[in-house]
Amino acid sequence: MTHSGGKKHNVGYVRQRFEVRVFDEDSKEEIVVGWSNSESSANSWAASLDARPGWRDGRVIDLFATATTE
């Protein structure tokens, strides 16, 4: 039994600015690990991900950055 009585948990992006990703060597793809509103927290988190076996290249994506095309 979950603390929510089996209902889906309200977790995820929820308009947070920074997305933390890592490359998973088992699946051979980049996966989203989580989100943060603090850039320094997201960068610290991404840097620490390399300590987990099978994960490498932790990085932070600024979801509010505007993409420009030339």
Side-chain angles (χ1 to χ4, degrees):
M1 176 68 93
T2 65
H3 76 281
S4 64
K7 298 175 191 167
K8 288 189 176 183
H9 299 280
N10 187 19
V11 296
Y13 162 65
V14 192
R15 294 179 299 281
Q16 294 183 54
R17 181 170 180 169
F18 301 99
E19 183 174 84
V20 181
R21 296 182 180 194
V22 68
F23 183 80
D24 182 3
E25 293 177 347
D26 293 333
S27 67
K28 304 289 188 242
E29 62 185 14
E30 188 174 67
I31 59 172
V32 175
V33 180
W35 300 267
S36 176
N37 276 321
S38 163
E39 183 175 19
S40 63
S41 175
N43 284 326
S44 176
W45 187 11
S48 71
L49 294 174
D50 290 338
R52 182 191 184 278
W55 282 4
R56 62 179 171 83
D57 303 330
R59 69 185 187 114
V60 175
I61 309 280
D62 184 345
L63 298 174
F64 293 179
T66 350
T68 59
T69 57
E70 295 181 36

